Amino acid sequence: MTRRLGRGLDALFTDIEQTDHDTVQEIPIDECRPNPYQPRKTFHADAIEELKESILEYGIIQPLIVRQSIKGYEIVVGERRFRAAREAGLKSIPAVVKELTDEKMMELALLENLQREDLTPIEEAHAYANLMKELQITQEDLSQKLGKSRSHIANIVRLLSLPDQIVAHINNGELSMGHGRALLGLKDKDQMIPIVNKIRKDKLNVRQVEQLIVQANAAPTKEKPKAKKDIFLQERETVLRDKLGTAVTIQRGKKKGKIEIEFFSDDDLDRIIESLGK
């Protein structure tokens, strides 16, 4: 049977709560189309089949939420129910029609999937990145809006900086988010694909990958070994890294020094600048 949306959607977006003025309508299923801002790209056939059987037996218990458009209706919440109802051969579906902006549709589609835990880490990362871009907000703003920690959002979005081949492996479940985060710590990026091949071949867990990367980063290179950084600079790097949530390197020369701060997108850069201002 279909699940209720939960308190998160109602609490964060009170304008979609059903009121006495809302009317549940029977809308022709052929006039409905998926939410264009749906972050979820994969709908498993077995889950849709299970929901279809439930709909055939009990009907659609909870109406969908839709937005009227020029060519019918766009589904805001309930795309799984829509797909299952179509598979069940229904000609119409119960729905509540709401007036919503594109931004609100994006937020609602993401929240529904997050609450159901239906998104892959990559789908979630793309959804966060798209929201920040479309709404022109920072990771901190998004964190407050969605009730997710800023560090969680930052760690997820960082996965998009991995090579496309590795992103694809994470998206299809061959690698986990933990594998991806570990790979981001690899200094020699040319070693990423060989290490990924080893992960898949030997079925390495995240802890084993972290150890492998520590060994790879410690391996001698042809470059002249650098002098050991003094404890003062190491401590300052740690302070900045913890404050800014990203890698920080401090280098001291004979007459001057420099600080290098890593960022992964325009939004990440804005977040870092905002943190520095604070």
Side-chain angles (χ1 to χ4, degrees), residues 53 61 74 78 92 113 137 140 164 168 214 238:
E53 296 299 326
I61 297 175
E74 295 173 334
S92 64
N113 282 286
I137 58 178
E140 184 65 31
D164 291 343
V214 168
T238 299

Side-chain angles (χ1 to χ4, degrees), residues 128 132 139 142-143 148-157:
Y128 290 152
M132 289 187 288
Q139 289 181 351
L142 187 62
S143 168
K148 294 281 186 178
S149 70
R150 191 208 57 76
S151 60
H152 172 79
I153 292 174
N155 287 329
I156 286 279
V157 172

Side-chain angles (χ1 to χ4, degrees), residues 52-224:
K52 181 192 81 171
E53 296 299 326
S54 174
I55 288 174
L56 287 171
E57 183 173 358
Y58 302 104
I60 298 179
I61 297 175
Q62 181 181 353
L64 285 71
I65 297 175
V66 301
R67 178 180 76 168
Q68 192 160 15
S69 64
I70 298 175
K71 298 181 180 179
Y73 301 89
E74 295 173 334
I75 297 169
V76 181
V77 173
E79 186 168 338
R80 289 196 330 139
R81 278 166 278 163
F82 161 72
R83 289 172 179 260
R86 190 170 55 186
E87 290 291 324
L90 272 60
K91 301 300 181 184
S92 64
I93 51 177
V96 174
V97 181
K98 290 287 188 179
E99 293 184 8
L100 297 169
T101 63
D102 291 348
E103 290 81 2
K104 191 64 68 178
M105 286 188 70
M106 292 176 67
E107 294 171 359
L108 290 173
L110 174 57
L111 273 175
E112 184 193 21
N113 282 286
L114 288 177
Q115 288 190 352
R116 294 180 182 276
E117 299 182 349
D118 281 343
L119 297 178
T120 69
I122 298 304
E123 288 173 337
E124 188 176 344
H126 279 299
Y128 290 152
N130 289 338
L131 267 176
M132 289 187 288
K133 178 181 178 182
E134 294 298 327
L135 304 184
Q136 297 184 342
I137 58 178
T138 64
Q139 289 181 351
E140 184 65 31
D141 295 331
L142 187 62
S143 168
Q144 296 175 4
K145 183 179 287 289
L146 299 182
K148 294 281 186 178
S149 70
R150 191 208 57 76
S151 60
H152 172 79
I153 292 174
N155 287 329
I156 286 279
V157 172
R158 285 184 67 200
L159 297 177
L160 299 180
S161 65
L162 290 166
D164 291 343
Q165 181 179 343
I166 298 177
V167 167
H169 289 320
I170 296 174
N171 201 40
N172 64 25
E174 291 184 82
L175 299 179
S176 69
M177 175 183 169
H179 286 125
R181 289 183 60 184
L183 289 166
L184 286 167
L186 188 63
K187 293 180 180 178
D188 184 357
K189 306 307 179 185
D190 292 336
Q191 294 187 51
M192 270 195 184
I193 299 303
I195 287 180
V196 166
N197 292 337
K198 181 175 178 59
I199 295 172
R200 297 172 65 204
K201 178 183 176 183
D202 298 340
K203 301 187 184 303
L204 302 181
N205 60 35
V206 174
R207 180 58 180 163
Q208 290 171 319
V209 175
E210 290 173 344
Q211 292 174 344
L212 190 63
I213 288 176
V214 168
Q215 294 171 4
N217 287 343
T221 63
K222 296 180 180 179
E223 298 177 359
K224 183 179 179 180

